[in-house]
Amino acid sequence: MREIQASALTEVVKRLCIEANCHLPKDMQARITEARAGEDWPGACEILDRIIENYTIADERSVPICQDTGVACVFLEIGQDVHVSGSIADAVNEGVRQGYSEGYLRKSVVRDPLNRVNTGDNTPAMLYYDLVPGYAIRITVAPKGFGSENMSQLKMLKPSDGVEGAKEFIVRVVEEAGPNPCPPIVVGVGIGGTFDKCALLAKKALMRSTDERNPDPYYAALEAELLARINALGVGPQGFGGKTTALAVNIETAPTHIAGLPVAVNINCHVTRHKSEVL
Amino acid sequence: MAIRIETPLTEEKARALKSGDSVLLSGTVYTARDAAHKRIVEAMEAGKPLPFDPENAVVYYVGPTPAKPGQAIGSAGPTTSYRMDAYSPALIARGQRGMIGKGKRGPAVVEAIKQHGAVYFGAIGGAGALLSKCVRTAEVIAYDDLGAEAVRRLTVEDLPLTVVIDSEGNNLYETGREAYLAARQK
């Protein structure tokens, strides 16, 4: 049994909040650069150039890439042989509080969804726990902007809808979103599970590096096919037309019920941010 | 070639802009997003004073990050505009001439744009660090309690924008995609 003080999480979460918001992950930089090289529509080229200039400025000056520094989604993979002393949730929220204050990040969370008063410190985090074998805690902070979150959808398809029904739904969600989620986007897809599990799969799909394809060749091929279909829509960067509507489609799946085929599409923008550290 | 425009944005200047034009905007713009729009329109309906005179004004839908020491403003890119659709027609009717945001607008907003000779500009969503460099000064002028959503008066210089919906209702989100797809089929 390894003992970890909950307060140790605070420092890590604080640092990850700031770094994730200012430094675009290398895989995303690679996808955007590749897209620019493959784009031939003049307006689209200009926008991609500006997007590259933007993340370069943010990186060099350590300022937020986007003003929507998001709600802090925090994923903890906790080793079963770790014992944490103190409140994990309090320690994580303290890290968010410090990170969003010291990092000059925007406070974008309201305490109540209908009465809408800003909490002033971007807490609470959206906190998820997974128990895994081992003696370590893996902490991932994924700030999530809501321009793209608002364009996400979930549908309980019928088993008879099959893969064609799933593809049609996924492409339609992206087309309906059009310019709103700041294309080029990353498309996180969850297939299977229950209503809630499916949505979480889609969120987790956005945290997989765009360098990696689904390990199952069937789903890797489906990711490639969906990316091609989405980029044939012509929405383009910012929705002004062009080849580059999406930079990647990441699919995660889970077993599901004999009666169901849940499909969730969680959209993220060209500022798809996440950073992990192991404690 | 970008067209240089200075505020105030008169009807004459607005009507000269065409969907697809690249614009560099300089002068005064006011920031307002969801919560501020709600308050402004409630104040208008109650006949109370407004944070700024809407006549020929340009409103930027943005909630910036806090400025670091030495910065005029933090990162300051546009937020998605459709959430302001419930409020924009009333403001346009009161003379607001320009809106800066990103994403689609509803039919009532397009109708108000056409009727009053207004214009909807797109700024690059997600390019907050880049766009902040065009902001020279920023000052909170109302609703300080809203934090990032407070109304600010900004002085901008050469803010890069694209005319999305012009005063005739032409919409780049429709025509840009159509033009790209048509060119691809040739």
Side-chain angles (χ1 to χ4, degrees):
Chain A
M1 181 74 75
R2 180 181 168 210
E3 190 78 19
I4 292 179
Q5 296 295 319
S7 57
L9 291 167
T10 300
E11 190 58 34
V12 176
V13 168
K14 170 185 148 181
R15 187 167 58 241
L16 292 177
C17 285
I18 296 171
E19 288 178 2
N21 269 302
C22 299
H23 307 286
L24 191 66
K26 293 286 176 244
D27 66 295
M28 285 298 296
Q29 297 192 21
R31 292 300 83 73
I32 294 168
T33 311
E34 287 159 14
R36 172 62 185 85
E39 186 63 75
D40 48 15
W41 194 242
C45 293
E46 191 187 322
I47 285 163
L48 291 172
D49 283 339
R50 288 211 162 121
I51 285 172
I52 292 167
E53 192 184 349
N54 180 65
Y55 71 65
T56 307
I57 290 170
D59 197 44
E60 287 169 0
R61 301 187 183 182
S62 288
V63 296
I65 309 161
C66 176
Q67 77 291 335
D68 188 354
T69 50
V71 59
C73 299
V74 178
F75 294 81
L76 299 178
E77 291 171 46
I78 303 174
Q80 287 168 228
D81 295 307
V82 173
H83 177 260
V84 181
S85 311
S87 163
I88 295 176
D90 288 352
V92 166
N93 283 322
E94 184 56 27
V96 169
R97 189 173 291 119
Q98 291 179 13
Y100 275 71
S101 165
E102 292 176 30
Y104 296 90
L105 308 177
R106 198 179 77 183
K107 290 76 182 173
S108 312
V109 174
V110 292
R111 173 75 60 202
D112 180 282
L114 294 178
N115 294 318
R116 308 199 74 81
V117 176
N118 198 302
T119 61
D121 58 9
N122 220 53
T123 68
M126 300 292 149
L127 188 48
Y128 296 93
Y129 308 92
D130 278 320
L131 284 174
V132 297
Y135 291 86
I137 303 179
R138 183 181 168 84
I139 304 146
T140 300
V141 174
K144 186 65 174 75
F146 254 57
S148 54
E149 194 74 357
N150 279 336
M151 294 297 111
S152 305
Q153 295 188 41
L154 186 149
K155 192 162 175 141
M156 304 303 283
L157 297 178
K158 302 183 295 293
S160 63
D161 291 325
V163 66
E164 289 308 319
K167 284 193 273 195
E168 197 180 308
F169 171 63
I170 294 159
V171 174
R172 191 170 70 238
V173 170
V174 173
E175 184 167 26
E176 282 175 12
N180 292 8
C182 293
I185 57 175
V186 176
V187 186
V189 177
I191 305 178
T194 47
F195 184 83
D196 52 319
K197 174 104 178 170
C198 187
L200 186 56
L201 285 172
K203 177 71 85 238
K204 286 189 170 178
L206 291 173
M207 260 162 308
R208 193 211 308 155
S209 165
T210 57
D211 287 337
E212 295 166 26
R213 295 295 92 227
N214 190 299
D216 180 333
Y218 176 82
Y219 285 103
L222 191 56
E223 288 174 346
E225 183 190 339
L226 282 165
L227 181 61
R229 274 182 64 174
I230 286 166
N231 283 335
L233 291 172
V235 172
Q238 295 295 309
F240 298 152
K243 190 190 282 184
T244 316
T245 302
L247 299 163
V249 177
N250 285 3
I251 301 174
E252 296 292 328
T253 65
T256 190
H257 190 277
I258 49 173
L261 175 53
V263 179
V265 182
N266 194 189
I267 298 183
N268 213 346
C269 57
H270 59 85
V271 191
T272 292
R273 297 153 284 187
H274 48 86
K275 197 162 169 67
S276 303
E277 204 169 304
V278 177
L279 194 65
Chain B
M1 208 38 200
I3 303 164
R4 282 204 151 77
I5 293 281
E6 289 201 11
T7 63
L9 185 60
T10 60
E11 183 173 351
E12 189 187 355
K13 287 183 202 171
R15 285 196 184 275
L17 295 171
K18 298 294 164 221
S19 178
D21 284 349
S22 292
V23 168
L24 294 170
L25 182 76
S26 297
T28 301
V29 303
Y30 298 96
T31 74
R33 44 172 293 154
D34 309 61
H37 269 81
K38 185 165 187 280
R39 286 196 193 176
I40 290 169
V41 170
E42 281 168 2
M44 269 170 53
E45 285 166 356
K48 290 185 178 157
L50 305 180
F52 57 88
D53 180 4
E55 185 69 30
N56 293 334
V58 178
V59 176
Y60 187 10
Y61 304 149
V62 57
T65 59
K68 279 188 165 182
Q71 286 185 314
I73 198 167
S75 295
T79 194
T80 326
S81 306
Y82 72 89
R83 298 192 315 274
M84 271 50 80
D85 282 3
Y87 311 111
S88 295
L91 276 160
I92 294 169
R94 277 284 294 268
Q96 183 192 324
R97 198 67 61 194
M99 298 162 279
I100 306 172
K102 53 120 175 160
K104 293 181 260 194
R105 304 309 302 261
V109 177
V110 179
E111 208 38 57
I113 287 173
K114 286 161 68 176
Q115 193 184 338
H116 298 280
V119 60
Y120 172 50
F121 298 102
I124 299 181
L130 178 67
L131 294 167
S132 73
K133 291 173 69 182
C134 304
V135 179
R136 296 287 166 264
T137 65
E139 176 196 2
V140 173
I141 58 166
Y143 315 149
D144 199 16
D145 60 299
L146 294 178
E149 293 201 72
V151 174
R152 290 167 170 81
R153 184 192 294 117
L154 308 185
T155 315
V156 300
E157 194 176 319
D158 289 343
L159 186 68
L161 306 172
T162 303
V163 177
V164 178
I165 303 174
D166 65 23
S167 60
E168 290 172 351
N170 300 303
N171 187 342
L172 183 61
Y173 290 137
E174 292 160 11
T175 57
R177 186 180 167 198
E178 282 164 12
Y180 168 78
L181 291 173
R184 232 174 120 249
Q185 278 176 350
K186 277 178 194 163

